Amino acid sequence: MVRRPGDSARAPRPPKQEQETASEEITEVAPGVLRMQLPIWMPGLGHVNMYGLMDDRGLTVVDPGLPGPKSWKALKARLKSAGYGVKDIHTVVVTHSHPDHFGGAGRIKKEAGAELITHKAFTTWSLDRTGRNTLSEVEAERLEQAAIDEAERYTGPSLEELPALRDEDASALDDFTEEHQRQSVPWGGNTPWGGSKHPMPPLKKRVAIRAMRLVFAPPDPSRRVKHGASIQLAGRTWLAIHTPGHTLDHLCLYDPEHGILLTGDHVLPSITPHIAGSKQGDALHSYLATLDLVAALDGVKLGLPAHGHPFDDVPGRVDAIKEHHEERMEKLRDASLALGPATVVDLSHELFPERHWGVMAESETFAHLEHLRGVDAVERWNEDGTLIYRAAPRT
Ligand SMILES: [Zn+2]
Ligand SMILES: [Zn+2]
């Protein structure tokens, strides 16, 4: 999910806790709350935590892993060790619209008749679902393997961050005409910042990506909640905390009585989630503001992240992540002052090592530039459809 400039230059380091392979061990991390780890094959991440919330009705699971047979097998095994079956699940909560979080949700909803809760902004596609439902197990395994092979060859930022899970890309799912390719980020060049030329992937790669997208179609939620909504699970009341930034639809769950926060990807113990710049506004502003929001929640004693170990100091981790973004913005201002007027692509090359150059690095650079523009630290203008940024001199 996150590798930072200079990483490659250093000696090999022990894996970060978010990169540890999924353990079969199940731990009760708080009364009535189980941590179960599911394997994922996203570059840069080793597992996703599926939390189980136990109550007298059965079980709620939060973020039930990737789509595909491998994750499903692990999910069933973990449930069995915990003394449950899929049919015992009455509710699924999905923190945000990334495939390692929503993957198993649709199948659980269908097989257990479970309620599926997301934030109200949860992104779904207008995909023709009939085709997907007729996938045989063999076909699903073949598509999954194609996706895994593709992930293993991939060298850029995390696949989770591919900006593919959006409505405007839906039309490209089953239609690989030139026109759709041209319009579809990240291979077309129609980025909000312009001036980006990323070659269309070869046919084989496009087929694998199509397979991934089919397997990755997000499920339809049965209950979409707003910020502040209360949800009864595991015998207590959880409050829905809307935390846009990593994605627009990101949701944390807060149990004020026991001081527990399910943080999803919003606050992770040792890595920083990707922030994608968008046409809609200052995503980094939303992210930083909602970091402050969760840091200010009363009496949080335990953060339960979607990747990595439970951690106790949520406000301390928030400070560290904010500091990281401050440093990035300072570096960006310095680069801009040195370069003079420059494009997002040029500036991204100053921030990221060459192996990460590309649309995702540009997207994060764009997010930082738009945030700096919001505080008048950079100015921006448009030259023939390409955005040009220049830092204001430091005072
Ligand atoms: Zn995510
Ligand atoms: Zn994630």
Side-chain angles (χ1 to χ4, degrees):
M1 171 182 287
V2 177
R3 287 141 310 272
R4 294 301 176 195
D7 280 4
S8 59
R10 293 186 205 132
R13 297 181 300 195
K16 296 207 169 245
Q17 49 178 283
E18 293 87 347
Q19 297 167 336
E20 291 169 6
T21 46
S23 163
E24 289 177 16
E25 198 187 331
I26 294 168
T27 42
E28 186 163 3
V29 288
V33 182
L34 303 177
R35 177 188 179 206
M36 295 172 267
Q37 300 173 50
L38 299 177
I40 57 178
W41 37 263
M42 312 293 229
L45 293 170
H47 66 276
V48 62
N49 294 318
M50 172 175 78
Y51 292 101
L53 313 178
M54 302 182 283
D55 57 28
D56 48 18
R57 290 197 294 141
L59 193 69
T60 295
V61 292
V62 181
D63 289 343
L66 279 171
K70 278 191 170 51
S71 177
W72 186 253
K73 213 175 273 174
L75 180 147
K76 285 206 296 192
R78 301 294 187 274
L79 290 177
K80 196 172 172 204
S81 319
Y84 291 97
V86 172
K87 293 230 171 351
D88 297 316
I89 301 175
H90 56 75
T91 308
V92 186
V93 177
V94 176
T95 58
H96 65 291
S97 55
H98 280 158
D100 51 331
H101 300 258
F102 67 66
R107 188 157 177 189
I108 295 171
K109 181 187 171 197
K110 199 168 135 206
E111 292 194 10
E115 181 165 54
L116 201 170
I117 301 177
T118 65
H119 182 258
K120 138 172 119 46
F122 186 76
T123 310
T124 46
W125 300 329
S126 47
L127 179 72
D128 172 12
R129 280 153 202 281
T130 43
R132 181 159 60 96
N133 291 341
T134 56
L135 279 185
S136 68
E137 198 75 359
V138 173
E139 183 68 353
E141 273 172 25
R142 197 186 63 78
L143 289 176
E144 182 183 51
Q145 195 52 52
I148 293 170
D149 292 346
E150 187 58 31
E152 279 166 2
R153 279 194 295 271
Y154 186 80
T155 54
S158 167
L159 275 178
E160 184 186 23
E161 318 303 352
L162 276 178
L165 307 178
R166 298 187 312 198
D167 264 323
E168 60 259 41
D169 293 334
S171 58
L173 284 172
D174 289 308
D175 189 345
F176 277 84
T177 61
E178 266 324 89
E179 177 63 6
H180 278 122
Q181 280 297 315
R182 201 179 60 72
Q183 287 177 3
S184 169
V185 174
W187 306 289
N190 278 6
T191 55
W193 50 91
S196 193
K197 292 268 188 295
H198 298 287
M200 202 186 294
L203 181 66
K204 199 169 162 222
K205 189 166 178 185
R206 276 185 281 150
V207 169
I209 288 164
R210 178 171 175 274
M212 261 188 280
R213 287 178 169 191
L214 279 169
V215 176
F216 282 176
D220 288 320
S222 54
R223 181 178 170 200
R224 292 169 176 270
V225 297
K226 282 198 256 190
H227 180 68
S230 60
I231 305 167
Q232 293 295 324
L233 300 168
R236 62 249 224 183
T237 303
W238 300 81
L239 296 177
I241 310 291
H242 184 211
T243 44
H246 175 57
T247 62
L248 211 58
D249 56 12
H250 198 288
L251 186 70
C252 294
L253 289 188
Y254 168 46
D255 164 11
E257 190 191 338
H258 301 85
I260 299 170
L261 185 70
L262 287 160
T263 64
D265 280 359
H266 187 56
V267 186
L268 294 170
S270 77
I271 60 177
T272 58
H274 175 78
I275 307 299
S278 96
K279 265 181 276 195
Q280 277 78 44
D282 185 348
L284 187 56
H285 175 80
S286 305
Y287 182 62
L288 296 173
T290 52
L291 280 179
D292 285 338
L293 178 76
V294 298
L297 291 172
D298 217 21
V300 174
K301 295 194 292 272
L302 183 66
L304 297 177
H307 310 279
H309 306 177
F311 57 105
D312 51 18
D313 186 9
V314 172
R317 188 59 202 139
V318 162
D319 282 345
I321 295 172
K322 284 173 69 178
E323 199 176 310
H324 162 84
H325 286 291
E326 290 302 328
E327 283 168 13
R328 302 290 285 169
M329 282 187 285
E330 282 309 301
K331 191 171 174 193
L332 195 49
R333 285 179 79 173
D334 288 341
S336 178
L337 285 169
L339 285 182
T343 63
V344 170
V345 178
D346 292 338
L347 288 162
S348 75
H349 292 176
E350 301 296 314
L351 274 193
F352 287 87
E354 190 169 348
R355 69 200 164 92
H356 288 156
W357 289 0
V359 75
M360 298 317 298
E362 290 161 26
S363 147
E364 183 137 339
T365 304
F366 178 57
H368 283 90
L369 285 167
E370 283 300 295
H371 188 63
L372 287 169
R373 198 166 73 89
V375 295
D376 293 327
V378 301
E379 56 177 333
R380 179 188 101 177
W381 63 94
N382 191 320
E383 272 175 24
D384 304 324
T386 299
L387 299 178
I388 308 290
Y389 289 86
R390 178 172 62 192
R394 291 176 197 276
T395 48

